[in-house]
Amino acid sequence: DQQVKQNSPSLSVQEGRISILNCDYTNSMFDYFLWYKKYPAEGPTFLISISSIKDKNEDGRFTVFLNKSAKHLSLHIVPSQPGDSAVYFCAATRFNSGGSNYKLTFGKGTLLTVNP
Amino acid sequence: SQTIHQWPATLVQPVGSPLSLECTVEGTSNPNLYWYRQAAGRGLQLLFYSVGIGQISSEVPQNLSASRPQDRQFILSSKKLLLSDSGFYLCAWIGSAAIEQYFGPGTRLTVT
């Protein structure tokens, strides 16, 4: 049962344009969402996150939008740069579950290619 | 600042051989520690996590085990490797009262 889904395995965009990466989740108990970026043969790096009490969070060129009713979030990268080419993972967790053993549930990732 | 180390970076092992992967964290105390595996074409699968010394929780029944002998050390082991154990193994940590996990550089394991 895949609770976090990234239905697009790959996305290709032109440099300078907007990249939109999508993520859907099925577990309504998730209340905190994260995006990670991963280069080949490296560990993922944390990019941006959003709590379920918000519908938007922005950090420089990166903006995450959350639509709780649709159980959908998206990552927008504007403008896209060739260095953004990587695999992007969406992750979700229950922040308010109590305790300290937070576990992240990851999607399968989307490979973004930004063409010069 | 906090740093997470993993070794070895790459490993080629025959089927049936033992495995020991090590992860250490610097610059923090009492972190939560996690082992993930990324198999070819798959997402990140949580294997084990630990909230303290000697405390291990297993997420997926498998051929692997984990131990936490020291506060900032997390070890992934196997007595006999299977072909299906091949993958990219990642260690991650999280500080107290935080949510974002930070990952190590990973170990590429190929079982032949």
Side-chain angles (χ1 to χ4, degrees):
Chain A
D1 176 30
Q2 199 176 345
Q3 299 186 66
V4 177
K5 301 177 184 179
Q6 294 178 256
N7 292 318
S8 298
S10 63
L11 174 68
S12 182
V13 300
Q14 209 62 30
E15 180 178 6
R17 306 294 293 270
I18 183 171
S19 295
I20 300 177
L21 298 110
N22 294 305
C23 178
D24 297 294
Y25 61 96
T26 58
N27 189 339
S28 58
M29 301 302 291
F30 288 145
D31 55 17
Y32 201 88
F33 306 89
L34 307 91
W35 284 95
Y36 282 82
K37 174 181 178 180
K38 185 182 181 301
Y39 293 116
E42 294 184 11
T45 55
F46 169 70
L47 201 53
I48 192 169
S49 61
I50 188 167
S51 164
S52 61
I53 63 173
K54 296 183 176 180
D55 55 18
K56 177 183 175 181
N57 189 26
E58 192 171 353
D59 183 2
R61 297 187 296 114
F62 302 91
T63 303
V64 55
F65 295 92
L66 176 62
N67 182 333
K68 284 178 292 184
S69 60
K71 293 190 178 67
H72 176 84
L73 62 154
S74 60
L75 175 68
H76 292 211
I77 306 174
V78 182
S80 301
Q81 299 173 355
D84 296 329
S85 298
V87 176
Y88 289 78
F89 288 99
C90 171
T93 190
R94 287 182 61 189
F95 176 59
N96 290 318
S97 62
S100 61
N101 51 341
Y102 298 120
K103 296 185 289 184
L104 298 180
T105 300
F106 283 86
K108 291 188 176 182
T110 297
L111 173 63
L112 172 65
T113 303
V114 180
N115 301 303
Chain B
S1 64
Q2 298 85 4
T3 309
I4 182 168
H5 302 281
Q6 281 186 250
W7 61 89
T10 59
L11 192 59
V12 180
Q13 292 283 95
V15 169
S17 64
L19 172 74
S20 180
L21 302 180
E22 189 165 342
C23 169
T24 58
V25 182
E26 295 178 359
T28 186
S29 59
N30 197 30
N32 285 5
L33 296 172
Y34 304 80
W35 277 112
Y36 289 87
R37 177 172 61 200
Q38 184 185 17
R42 305 289 299 275
L44 296 173
Q45 180 186 36
L46 178 63
L47 302 175
F48 302 94
Y49 68 94
S50 171
V51 300
I53 296 174
Q55 300 179 61
I56 307 295
S57 296
S58 174
E59 288 294 299
V60 181
Q62 59 213 324
N63 186 41
L64 303 170
S65 62
S67 62
R68 186 168 175 177
Q70 300 180 43
D71 180 44
R72 290 171 287 176
Q73 184 185 32
F74 204 21
I75 297 173
L76 183 70
S77 304
S78 174
K79 292 182 179 178
K80 289 185 178 181
L81 284 169
L82 306 172
L83 284 174
S84 58
D85 292 323
S86 293
F88 192 53
Y89 288 82
L90 290 155
C91 180
W93 73 276
I94 188 173
S96 59
I99 299 177
E100 296 87 12
Q101 293 181 14
Y102 296 92
F103 287 82
T107 295
R108 169 71 61 193
L109 172 66
T110 304
V111 182
T112 60

